[in-house]
Amino acid sequence: MTDDELQRIKLIQDICEKRITGVDAARILNLSSRQIYRLAKRFLEFGSSGLLSLKRGRPSNHRHDDKLKLHTLALVHEYYTDFGPTLAHEKLTELHGIHVAVETLRQWMIADGLWMPHAKRKPRIYQPRHRRDCLGELIQIDGSHHDWFEGRSDKCCLLVYIDDATGRLMNLRFSETESAFDYMVATREYIEQHGKPSAFYSDRHAVFHVSKRDAQTDRLTQFGRVLNDLNIELICANSSQAKGRVERANKTLQDRLVKEMRLQGIDTIEQANVWLPDFIADFNQRFAKPACYPKDMHRTVRETPEDLDDIFAWHEIRKLSKSLTFQYDKVLYLIDPTEENSRLTQEAVKVLDYPDGTIAIQYGHRKLEFKIFDKLADVDQGQVVDNKRLGAVLKFAQEKQQEFEQQHKRSRSKSAPKRTAQQRAIQQLREINPVLIHPEDFKPSTKKG
C-alpha cells in the first residue's frame, strides 16, 4: 500500500471509533463528507480492503486491443528487428498505418525481447590495446586542466605529449588555455627537439576535430592544417577509454608534478615551463619502458625556421577590394599600391597571424607590404591615408563607429584566434626590452654621454 492509502485507512478507522469527525476527515483528505461516510460504511462492511480501488489489478479501459498488439509485434519481427522503438514507430505509422504511442511500442518491444533498456544494458568492455612497436610511431596528446599550483597561481592547462610505444613523456608545456595557438607552440617545441612523429593521437576536442554537425565535414582545423603541412597524421579517438595511456599519465602527473613544483618553490607558468625538462628526464628514467623495436620513427625536420614560422601561424583567406584593402579582426589592411600589386584586385590573399601577435600577408609565395588602419587602437588623428583609398577607410571607420554605438564597447572579433599565447609572448618581450614591441616608436637620444 502507498502512504496515501495508509493515511486514508487510519482516518476512516478514527471516524468509526469516533476519534475524529467526518467533516475534519473530509477536509484532511480533500473529499466531500458524503464520500467520507460512504468509505466509512465500506470499512465497517469489508475492513481495510474495502477502501482499496476496485480497479486495482484490472486492465485499463484505454488499453489497445490484443489483436493490434500481436499484429504490431509481428510486423516488427518481420521487418524491424534491429530498429529502435522511435524509428520503428515512424515506419509503422508511415508504411502500415498503425498509430500507437512510442512509449507503448517501447514497452511492447521490451516485453517481447526486441529491445533492451539502456539502464539494463551491460557496460561496454574495453580491452587493453597493445603498445605500438617503435618510438615516434604514435604520440598521444591531451590537455589536463587542474589546479597545478595549489592556489599559488590560477588554474591552468598542462599539454601532455606521451609516446605510445615507451610511455616516455616527450614534451610538457603549461598554458592558460587549451587553444590552437598553445598546441602550435608546444608542437613546434616537440618537433624541434625530437623530429616529426608518424602520427598524433588525440580526443575530439575542437582544436583537433571539426564537428560532424558542421556542413563541411572535410574541413581541417587550424591545428589539423599545421599537421597536414608537416605531413604528420592526426587520429582522433572514438572514446576516452581509447586513450587510456595518456589519461593514466595525467593522473600520475597531477600527483607527482604538483608535489615536485611545491618542493621546488615554482609558482608561475613561466617558472614551470623553464623547469619542466628536468622533471621530464627524471620521470622517463623512472617510468619509461623500452620499445619492442629500437627503430626511431621520428623524421628529420627539413623545413627552415622561416617555413616553420609560416606553418605554425593562424591562416585566414581574404579577398582584396578594388582599392587593395581587406578587413581582418576588425582592422583594415591597406596593401602598398605598387605596379606589381595593382594587378591583385579581387584576388585572394592569405593572412598569417603568428603566435607572437605579428601579421603577414602572402600571395602565392610572395609576402606583401601593407599598412593598417585600426579604429580600435589609439591612432594619430593626423595619420596619412592615400586619396584613392580614403573612401574605403571612411566606410570602415563608419562601420566601427556604428558597431560601437550598438555594443557600447570595443572588442576584437570573436571568430579570431585566442590571444592568450600572443599576450604572453608580447609580455615576455616587454620584460626583455620595451623597444622590441614597437621599434618604430624608438627615438635615439641626442644627448652626448
Side-chain angles (χ1 to χ4, degrees), residues 2 5 14-15 20-21 38 50 59 88 163 178 184 196 213 215 284 305 313 315 323 325 374 391-392 444 449:
T2 64
E5 290 174 337
D14 289 343
I15 292 171
I20 189 173
T21 65
R38 189 181 295 118
D163 179 63
E178 192 178 358
M184 288 180 188
K196 295 191 286 189
R213 290 172 293 191
N284 290 338
H315 290 193
S323 55
T325 63
D374 187 358

Side-chain angles (χ1 to χ4, degrees), residues 73 85 103 105-117 120:
L73 291 174
E103 186 58 32
L105 180 60
R106 179 180 286 107
Q107 296 303 324
W108 289 354
M109 292 176 67
I110 291 172
D112 206 44
L114 293 168
W115 180 253
M116 177 68 71
K120 294 184 179 180

Side-chain angles (χ1 to χ4, degrees), residues 17-273:
E17 295 176 359
K18 298 184 178 181
R19 287 197 292 266
I20 189 173
T21 65
V23 176
D24 292 337
R27 186 177 64 254
I28 295 172
L29 295 176
N30 197 23
L31 297 174
S32 66
S33 299
R34 178 176 294 183
Q35 180 67 12
I36 289 294
Y37 291 123
R38 189 181 295 118
L39 291 174
K41 183 178 179 181
R42 289 186 59 81
F43 180 79
L44 293 174
E45 186 175 354
F46 300 103
S48 58
S49 60
L51 300 181
L52 300 178
S53 175
L54 297 179
K55 294 182 179 180
R56 174 173 290 196
R58 296 182 180 181
S60 170
N61 294 331
H62 301 286
R63 74 188 186 280
H64 290 287
D65 186 73
D66 290 339
K67 291 182 179 180
L68 175 63
K69 177 180 177 181
L70 293 174
H71 177 58
T72 302
L73 291 174
L75 291 173
V76 174
H77 273 285
E78 185 175 357
Y79 301 109
Y80 313 118
T81 52
D82 59 342
F83 283 40
T86 303
L87 183 56
H89 171 266
E90 292 176 6
K91 298 306 175 185
L92 289 170
T93 303
E94 295 171 4
L95 304 179
H96 305 281
I98 295 177
H99 300 280
V100 296
V102 176
E103 186 58 32
T104 301
L105 180 60
R106 179 180 286 107
Q107 296 303 324
W108 289 354
M109 292 176 67
I110 291 172
D112 206 44
L114 293 168
W115 180 253
M116 177 68 71
H118 289 281
K120 294 184 179 180
R121 294 181 186 178
K122 293 182 179 179
R124 184 178 177 183
I125 298 174
Y126 293 90
Q127 293 186 336
R129 172 180 56 81
H130 290 294
R131 293 177 179 270
R132 306 307 300 174
D133 295 328
C134 302
L135 176 69
E137 188 175 356
L138 184 69
I139 306 299
Q140 296 196 31
I141 57 178
D142 193 26
S144 179
H145 297 266
H146 187 65
D147 185 10
W148 292 100
F149 300 103
E150 301 176 299
R152 301 188 299 276
S153 285
D154 295 335
K155 290 184 179 181
C156 59
C157 180
L158 177 66
L159 306 183
V160 182
Y161 292 63
I162 184 169
D163 179 63
D164 187 81
T166 62
R168 283 178 53 185
L169 288 179
M170 306 302 291
N171 191 31
L172 296 176
R173 181 177 179 81
F174 282 108
S175 61
E176 294 176 353
T177 61
E178 192 178 358
S179 67
F181 266 139
D182 295 315
Y183 274 107
M184 288 180 188
V185 172
T187 302
R188 181 163 184 177
E189 288 180 355
Y190 179 99
I191 67 170
E192 288 177 345
Q193 184 177 358
H194 304 289
K196 295 191 286 189
S198 298
F200 282 125
Y201 194 52
S202 70
D203 56 17
R204 289 176 174 266
H205 191 279
V207 171
F208 312 112
H209 178 72
V210 177
S211 172
K212 288 184 178 180
R213 290 172 293 191
D214 195 290
Q216 299 176 336
T217 54
D218 58 336
R219 291 195 302 111
L220 291 173
T221 63
Q222 289 286 337
F223 186 74
R225 188 264 314 155
V226 168
L227 297 188
N228 184 64
D229 291 346
L230 294 171
N231 194 23
I232 299 173
E233 190 72 22
L234 177 61
I235 304 171
C236 293
N238 283 323
S239 64
S240 58
Q241 290 86 350
K243 55 186 190 69
R245 243 165 234 123
V246 72
E247 294 287 350
R248 290 192 293 272
N250 283 338
K251 291 181 180 179
T252 304
L253 291 171
Q254 288 176 6
D255 178 43
R256 283 179 165 266
L257 182 55
V258 167
K259 294 179 174 63
E260 289 285 354
M261 289 194 295
R262 184 199 310 159
L263 294 175
Q264 295 289 334
I266 294 174
D267 300 332
T268 65
I269 289 178
E270 289 76 14
Q271 294 173 352
N273 285 334

Side-chain angles (χ1 to χ4, degrees), residues 12 211 256 313 326 363 373 440:
I12 298 300
S211 172
R256 283 179 165 266
F326 69 89
Y363 178 77
F373 185 82
E440 67 278 3

